[in-house]
Amino acid sequence: MNREELLTKLSAAQLAMFELHLYLDTHPDNDEAMMLYNRYEHKMKQLKNDYEKLYGPLTFGTADTAADWAASPWPWDVQGGKC
Amino acid sequence: MFENPMEMYNPYYVASNNNSQRDNKKSQKYTCDCHLVDSDMDDNDDDKYSKMYEKYMMDMKKEEKCYNDYYKMNNDNSYNNGVMSEDMYTDKNSRKKKEDKMENMNMSMSKDNMLICNCITPLPENPQVTMAYVPFQTKSKMFNCETALQKGTLFEDLYKPFKGRSVHKHE
């Protein structure tokens, strides 16, 4: 899986999480939605982990040093602006 | 006098050749020649953070076990030791159908991909004249997450592409 595919998958998992978050705002008692949310969150964490192992920090919080963060590509460096 | 002009301006600035034991200990963490010291930091912080980290790892292991148990319970092989397959949200049968009908990819979802809420009716039972109502989302079929990213919503009912005319039902 290349960098862009991995990023797309990560974005997709994050979107699903956000959508289910909104759904849970209006359907707070829906356990199934809550479970799905947890599953997507788990998936997102794994994808993020995988991405960061391969391509460096995604957010400043996960960078070991400021230099690592600065050296990783900026949003305008990534083709298609997906970041 | 200040040896380095930075010391004059920033009270938290500590040069790397500081002789105090505490600062030497802290400066080992940093690879830079100089760093800013957080004034709130205590010497006990290292212990505190390592304990927090241990707790976090424990929680993560518990969570992992939870998922494994859940999938074992449901005889779902799409989740093996924490590795999820891409199509974990569709069951095997629907995946086969999906392969058969590639053009109807998004339509062959398993029952798991439907969120159902029976606790409330879409519209009030006794609607009042002059009042406007928004139907409540009760049965929600879902796209898989990558389709959702393309369409801009996870829920099929909420996918309303603009077509420049009034559309009752999307194709």
Side-chain angles (χ1 to χ4, degrees):
Chain A
M1 206 187 306
N2 68 29
R3 186 189 197 120
E4 268 201 41
E5 280 169 353
L6 202 53
L7 264 186
T8 309
K9 276 180 191 295
L10 184 64
S11 302
Q14 281 176 328
L15 176 84
M17 271 174 70
F18 189 67
E19 287 281 281
L20 285 161
H21 180 182
L22 292 174
Y23 183 86
L24 282 160
D25 282 348
T26 50
H27 304 66
D29 299 325
N30 197 316
D31 293 338
E32 210 183 332
M34 191 67 228
M35 204 192 66
L36 263 180
Y37 176 87
N38 288 333
R39 281 162 75 174
Y40 275 115
E41 191 184 22
H42 192 78
K43 190 183 178 184
M44 189 277 283
K45 278 181 188 165
Q46 281 186 333
L47 286 168
K48 205 175 165 190
N49 232 333
D50 291 350
Y51 182 90
E52 287 181 341
K53 268 182 202 159
L54 288 169
Y55 303 112
L58 261 177
T59 52
F60 189 77
T62 48
D64 289 336
T65 63
D68 280 351
W69 168 248
S72 66
W74 296 96
W76 51 89
D77 293 333
V78 180
Q79 265 194 344
K82 290 175 202 158
C83 209
Chain B
M1 279 297 290
F2 298 105
E3 283 179 18
N4 188 319
M6 277 298 283
E7 290 177 66
M8 198 162 61
Y9 298 115
N10 194 328
Y12 301 128
Y13 180 86
V14 175
S16 63
N17 57 358
N18 196 313
N19 287 327
S20 97
Q21 201 186 348
R22 184 187 141 156
D23 288 324
N24 272 339
K25 192 184 160 195
K26 287 209 178 298
S27 61
Q28 283 171 4
K29 284 189 206 165
Y30 298 87
T31 50
C32 312
D33 288 331
C34 60
H35 63 274
L36 304 179
V37 172
D38 188 343
S39 58
D40 294 333
M41 234 184 185
D42 293 321
D43 283 336
N44 294 329
D45 276 358
D46 286 354
D47 288 341
K48 203 174 87 188
Y49 286 128
S50 68
K51 273 177 193 164
M52 273 167 67
Y53 181 72
E54 270 169 30
K55 193 179 173 297
Y56 172 71
M57 290 306 285
M58 291 269 283
D59 288 348
M60 287 301 283
K61 275 179 189 166
K62 272 184 207 163
E63 202 183 340
E64 186 70 39
K65 195 176 173 303
C66 259
Y67 284 114
N68 280 326
D69 290 350
Y70 174 80
Y71 282 96
K72 269 178 205 161
M73 200 171 73
N74 289 293
N75 296 322
D76 188 342
N77 298 322
S78 64
Y79 185 88
N80 295 320
N81 300 322
V83 181
M84 287 189 193
S85 71
E86 288 171 32
D87 292 329
M88 58 167 288
Y89 301 110
T90 51
D91 64 23
K92 278 181 186 171
N93 293 335
S94 70
R95 204 177 305 155
K96 204 179 174 187
K97 276 184 207 161
K98 196 163 136 183
E99 283 160 7
D100 292 346
K101 298 182 178 179
M102 283 301 282
E103 68 274 18
N104 291 330
M105 239 175 106
N106 305 324
M107 304 307 284
S108 57
M109 290 287 177
S110 70
K111 276 181 186 174
D112 290 341
N113 274 33
M114 179 87 98
L115 285 178
I116 297 164
C117 169
N118 292 323
C119 56
I120 192 167
T121 53
L123 287 165
E125 284 172 19
N126 300 312
Q128 302 296 305
V129 289
T130 73
M131 300 303 283
Y133 299 95
V134 177
F136 196 75
Q137 196 181 347
T138 49
K139 282 186 184 176
S140 320
K141 210 173 179 186
M142 295 187 306
F143 295 125
N144 74 30
C145 63
E146 284 181 49
T147 315
L149 189 64
Q150 284 171 359
K151 304 212 183 253
T153 177
L154 187 62
F155 300 104
E156 219 177 285
D157 290 347
L158 306 189
Y159 176 56
K160 305 281 183 217
F162 180 71
K163 294 192 170 176
R165 60 192 157 83
S166 73
V167 177
H168 292 298
K169 202 176 179 182
H170 67 265
E171 287 84 6

